[in-house]
Amino acid sequence: MQMPAAQIPDTLRAQFTKSHIALSLATAQDDMPLCLVNEGFTTLCGYDQDQVQGRNCRFLQTPQTPAEQVTAIRDFLHDGDAHDGRFPVLNRTRDGRDFMNLVFLSKLRRASGETVFVLASQFDLNRARRNGRQAEHDASLARNVNDVRRAAEQLGLIMADSAELIARSITTLARITIRDE
């Protein structure tokens, strides 16, 4: 049985409130609707909680979002063995600005293996490149993933170890930067 969005535990909500990184949480039911976003998300994308509640995050994609980016995320979400993934995807903010969004996805599972939520952390690669702050984003992500993991564990949810994913993120950013220049 999956946990309804209204039953998101207070400890998990508190982690979202505390984080400065753009975070969103989707239920793993039906079309994976968003059930929680934080202030970092609203700042990054321009949409408030009320505007995204119950919507799949596809609404952030543009007509120019490459099909292979969408396919990679969809394949990850439907792969029962996948725990964590990292995906660059072209998105659009509420005010119409396109940006390359580096999305880190982690499945939050019950001890039985059932996926209950999908946690997403988002980074504006364009802004990070301009500011030269990729390493800072990685360090902040590592802290926030550990905080969310502790909150999830208190709820009996399991989040696969994301240490390797975080460690590889600098390499990915470097490759994307080189490829795009």
Side-chain angles (χ1 to χ4, degrees):
M1 167 176 265
Q2 296 179 350
M3 188 177 299
Q7 294 180 7
I8 299 169
D10 290 340
T11 53
L12 193 53
R13 287 183 190 275
Q15 292 304 320
F16 267 64
T17 301
K18 183 173 107 171
S19 177
H20 297 289
I21 290 177
L23 296 175
S24 61
L25 190 70
T27 62
Q29 59 192 7
D30 304 321
D31 195 33
M32 297 190 180
L34 292 171
C35 56
L36 183 64
V37 299
N38 71 350
E39 186 177 332
F41 178 93
T42 62
T43 299
L44 175 66
C45 300
Y47 293 92
D48 292 329
Q49 175 76 32
D50 294 342
Q51 296 170 311
V52 303
Q53 182 89 27
R55 297 174 75 182
N56 182 287
C57 61
R58 283 188 303 273
F59 77 92
L60 293 171
Q61 296 168 10
T62 77
Q64 292 76 35
T65 300
E68 61 270 13
Q69 291 177 351
V70 176
T71 300
I73 293 171
R74 184 177 47 243
D75 290 349
F76 164 79
L77 292 171
H78 292 0
D79 181 348
D81 295 326
H83 296 285
D84 298 295
R86 169 183 54 213
F87 308 93
V89 61
L90 181 63
N91 282 166
R92 182 169 289 153
T93 63
R94 183 170 183 238
D95 65 6
R97 180 182 62 84
D98 289 354
F99 70 104
M100 185 56 69
N101 191 358
L102 184 60
V103 181
F104 293 82
L105 296 174
S106 293
K107 295 177 182 176
L108 299 178
R109 303 174 187 252
R110 296 192 191 284
S112 66
E114 173 194 11
T115 300
V116 181
F117 294 112
V118 178
L119 169 69
S121 306
Q122 298 93 9
F123 296 95
D124 181 344
L125 285 176
N126 306 52
R127 183 176 299 152
R129 287 180 189 140
R130 280 193 309 272
N131 298 338
R133 298 176 62 189
Q134 292 102 332
E136 181 181 325
H137 286 298
D138 278 356
S140 183
L141 175 64
R143 285 190 303 275
N144 281 278
V145 165
N146 285 331
D147 288 345
V148 170
R149 178 180 289 118
R150 280 192 294 277
E153 287 170 354
Q154 292 172 3
L155 308 169
L157 301 173
I158 298 169
M159 196 169 144
D161 187 12
S162 299
E164 183 180 345
L165 176 72
I166 294 165
R168 292 189 325 245
S169 63
I170 293 174
T171 302
T172 299
L173 289 170
R175 286 180 183 153
I176 291 169
T177 301
I178 290 169
R179 184 191 72 214
D180 290 346
E181 289 183 0

